[in-house]
Amino acid sequence: MPLSPLSRRRLMASSAAAFAAAGTLSPLKVFAAEPPSRAAALETMKKATTFMVEKAAYNGGYVWSYLPDFSRRWGEMEAFPTMIWVQPPGTATMGHLFLDAYHATGDAYYYEAACKAAQALIAIQHPAGGWNYLGDLAGETSLKKWYDTIGKNGWRLEEFQHYYGNATFDDAGTAESSQFLLRLYVEKKDKRFKPALDRALAFGLDSQYPVGGWPQRFPLKDEFHHHGRADYTGYITFNDDVAGENLKFLIMVWQALGDKRVLEPIRRAMDCFVLCQQPQPQPAWGLQHKVSDLKPAGARTYEPEAFASHTTGGNIAACMDFYELTGDPKFLARLGEALDWLDSIKVTPEIQKGRPYPTFIEIGTGKPLYIHRTGSNVVNGRYFADQNPHDTVIHYSSFRAVNVDGLRKRLAKLKATPPEVASQNSPLKGGLKALPKYFTTGDISVSDLNVGTLKADAGAAAPDKAAALIATLNAEGWWPTELKATSNPYIGDGSPTPAPGDFSQTRVGDATDTSPYITDTPKIGISTGGYIENMTALIKYIGSV
């Protein structure tokens, strides 16, 4: 049975249109007289992969996007040439794709590509067992230089403004790397990967709080008091599905290895969701919760101490997953309260902008909190929250879409389903089970800021889509993609004096802000996310011909 859909990425919106994801410069129209042959699809897959492995990769690792001459490259921020990115869709996502291609074709080239990606991840694995958002194969001195230049000047990317020297669970980087190493080890039981896998598992177990949740970063540190606020990285974290991704890894360990050490941590992690749901009249969750009293906590300066509508919706879905995993009705007991709370915070149509739920709700008053900013860069700029729903920042939505009706229907169905029936196919029951054959053919985020979320198709890829991908791979072996996201090169630290202009609703501030932004004049380049999406379509196609 496939793993329960715990990943935050399965809650995201569907991907851009197929041809747009293929990296088109203009609307693509390819009409094949007949479906392309399997051999043609395989040749395209191999050519594209050879380019990524032998030209784009740095010692087996990847970032998110590249200019064709490799003069600039980016993860979520611009990267040094010696850097690799862990944050999806980075090196571990590429490793998953290579394993999927190996399963689809039997070609050992893809398995070796996966091994190279794993070796790159192992080279930057923290001694405690986890991973940072990125790593620098040139060493820590180079990495610290990056943090002290590009990283600390990304105004809206506060998670990159301080070098902690530890590892993070944020954005699934550690969890996905751990999941990938497990898949790779299980494939052939290659002992080269077992020590790193053991460290990754130890990291997940050692970092878990007794109450069952996980901090955002570990080993714990209390260093970055941005604008006088507490360092949020030690709080119990639900944001970006930290707990869900860690649970997914532990469940995979149980499925594939039968390691009984994970069973109690799995149950504690699920129980933490129940414990952190707040009492009436606000029976919801925040992005993060304090370890001391389990109350909602603030995070980045544009993430106030408040309840979060999207996290509440995600946690409701997760608790329903837990009922299907365990058959324990306590996971359903208070979900109706949370759904009623979501209904109570909806805003009027003229405010909602298509998303009827304010992202943040103030503790106690129940009033929405909307996020604004002033200034022009990380030095002189600041974020603040108030009750004004207009002119909010555009890089972090103050409104969310939560499918409350769908959640209510699922809850009603589960309540009518006996526990033993609901959990009969749970991966926690029974002996060892094979891991899913494919990981990148489902709903995953391949967003490298140029492409979006990869949505699983109903069935095999259409022949015309495969024909388009075959036709648009260029002579060098990459799919030309508009790099919609770019960034200002580092030119020095920001000035204390704001630059002229209004940056309250822009993605980037003045010329010293190294945050990525959407450009009106995109260059053509190489997209890792686009490569993964296109390869996935071809994997589906060759399975049908």
Side-chain angles (χ1 to χ4, degrees):
M1 171 189 173
L3 291 171
S4 183
L6 299 172
S7 171
R8 70 173 172 90
R9 289 168 284 174
R10 299 188 184 187
L11 300 175
M12 294 178 69
S14 55
S15 64
F19 291 140
T24 59
L25 311 186
S26 58
L28 180 65
K29 294 182 179 179
V30 177
F31 300 97
E34 58 185 32
S37 68
R38 189 173 192 272
L42 288 172
E43 181 181 359
T44 299
M45 292 169 62
K46 188 67 167 288
K47 184 176 180 180
T49 302
T50 300
F51 176 85
M52 294 301 291
V53 171
E54 299 180 11
K55 300 292 185 182
Y58 182 79
N59 287 359
Y62 301 85
V63 294
W64 288 6
S65 58
Y66 311 78
L67 290 182
D69 62 358
F70 297 103
S71 58
R72 296 186 74 188
R73 63 193 70 204
W74 294 267
E76 188 163 16
M77 301 184 75
E78 185 166 7
F80 289 169
T82 54
M83 284 181 165
I84 66 173
W85 224 257
V86 179
Q87 186 183 13
T91 301
T93 319
M94 289 289 281
H96 276 308
L97 183 280
F98 294 144
L99 277 182
D100 289 355
Y102 174 61
H103 291 160
T105 66
D107 188 336
Y109 184 83
Y110 295 108
Y111 177 78
E112 291 304 319
C115 290
K116 291 176 181 177
Q119 288 163 341
L121 288 170
I122 292 169
I124 61 168
Q125 186 178 22
H126 190 276
W131 283 267
N132 192 14
Y133 298 101
L134 69 162
D136 195 328
L137 293 171
E140 191 172 36
T141 299
S142 180
L143 182 59
K144 287 181 177 178
K145 180 181 178 182
W146 183 90
Y147 268 94
D148 197 44
T149 54
I150 294 172
K152 80 173 186 180
N153 282 285
W155 183 13
R156 67 179 178 83
L157 295 173
E158 295 175 11
E159 59 271 39
F160 293 106
Q161 291 173 10
H162 175 75
Y163 177 65
Y164 285 91
N166 58 8
T168 183
F169 287 117
D170 190 30
D171 284 350
T174 285
E176 186 180 50
S177 298
S178 303
Q179 294 158 17
F180 165 57
L181 285 179
L182 175 63
R183 280 188 78 201
L184 187 62
Y185 172 70
V186 169
E187 187 71 34
K188 294 188 178 182
K189 297 293 174 65
D190 190 326
K191 294 181 180 179
R192 290 180 295 170
F193 307 114
K194 188 63 162 56
L197 174 60
D198 289 342
R199 289 194 297 272
L201 177 56
F203 184 80
L205 299 178
D206 293 344
S207 57
Q208 187 182 30
Y209 287 121
V211 74
W214 281 275
Q216 190 188 87
R217 301 191 72 99
F218 190 80
L220 297 174
K221 294 192 176 184
D222 183 15
E223 296 181 348
F224 190 45
H225 299 266
H226 195 41
H227 286 265
R229 297 179 59 158
D231 191 319
Y232 62 89
T233 58
Y235 294 141
I236 293 169
T237 303
F238 294 109
N239 190 30
D240 285 336
D241 205 26
V242 162
E245 288 288 353
N246 288 345
L247 270 166
K248 180 180 176 182
F249 172 56
L250 295 183
I251 292 171
M252 287 172 63
V253 169
W254 171 247
Q255 279 189 268
L257 304 178
D259 191 330
K260 293 183 178 179
R261 291 179 298 165
V262 303
L263 292 178
E264 190 268 342
I266 288 171
R267 190 57 185 248
R268 266 194 296 131
M270 292 188 288
D271 287 346
C272 188
F273 283 69
V274 175
L275 294 170
C276 285
Q277 185 180 5
Q278 298 299 291
Q280 289 284 11
Q282 294 178 302
W285 289 267
L287 298 177
Q288 296 186 291
H289 286 244
K290 298 171 186 174
V291 181
S292 58
D293 58 11
L294 304 186
K295 294 185 182 299
R300 292 172 290 190
T301 60
Y302 46 85
E303 294 170 326
E305 187 171 291
F307 293 100
S309 59
H310 59 300
T311 302
T312 295
N315 285 6
I316 291 169
C319 285
M320 287 192 268
D321 293 339
F322 301 158
Y323 180 66
E324 293 180 322
L325 286 168
T326 66
D328 192 332
K330 74 180 179 185
F331 293 113
L332 305 182
R334 297 189 59 219
L335 299 187
E337 297 175 38
L339 290 166
D340 290 344
W341 178 82
L342 283 168
D343 279 339
S344 76
I345 66 169
K346 289 178 73 171
V347 293
T348 56
E350 62 268 21
I351 294 176
Q352 67 186 26
K353 302 178 182 178
R355 297 182 173 193
Y357 302 93
T359 297
F360 296 116
I361 298 295
E362 190 170 42
I363 297 171
T365 69
K367 294 179 180 179
L369 292 174
Y370 302 108
I371 309 302
H372 310 270
R373 76 178 184 183
T374 184
S376 70
N377 62 48
V378 72
V379 176
N380 62 59
R382 69 178 182 91
Y383 288 88
F384 61 95
D386 61 22
Q387 267 93 51
N388 177 13
H390 304 291
D391 300 327
T392 57
V393 297
I394 65 169
H395 67 79
Y396 193 96
S397 179
S398 282
F399 302 88
R400 303 286 166 152
V402 182
N403 185 4
V404 172
D405 288 342
L407 290 171
R408 283 194 184 280
K409 289 176 182 177
R410 185 183 175 198
L411 177 60
K413 183 177 180 181
L414 287 176
K415 282 187 170 182
T417 305
E420 64 276 9
V421 176
S423 61
Q424 63 185 349
N425 294 320
S426 169
L428 297 178
K429 294 188 174 182
L432 297 180
K433 295 179 175 68
L435 296 176
K437 184 178 181 180
Y438 299 115
F439 270 61
T440 58
T441 55
D443 298 1
I444 66 167
S445 172
V446 289
S447 177
D448 57 11
L449 306 180
N450 302 298
V451 299
T453 298
L454 178 57
K455 188 73 174 175
D457 294 329
D464 59 345
K465 182 175 181 178
L469 296 177
I470 292 169
T472 55
L473 188 74
N474 69 16
E476 291 182 76
W478 49 278
W479 281 285
T481 303
E482 284 189 343
L483 301 186
K484 303 168 189 173
T486 188
S487 63
N488 296 323
Y490 172 73
I491 59 172
D493 294 346
S495 168
T497 303
D502 181 5
F503 302 96
S504 63
Q505 291 182 275
T506 59
R507 288 182 176 271
V508 67
D510 62 36
T512 66
D513 183 2
T514 53
S515 302
Y517 65 92
I518 305 303
T519 178
D520 294 330
T521 56
K523 294 185 178 181
I524 304 304
I526 300 146
S527 162
T528 298
Y531 163 82
I532 294 168
E533 186 164 4
N534 296 342
M535 284 287 293
T536 296
L538 292 174
I539 286 171
K540 292 177 181 178
Y541 180 72
I542 64 172
S544 67
V545 294

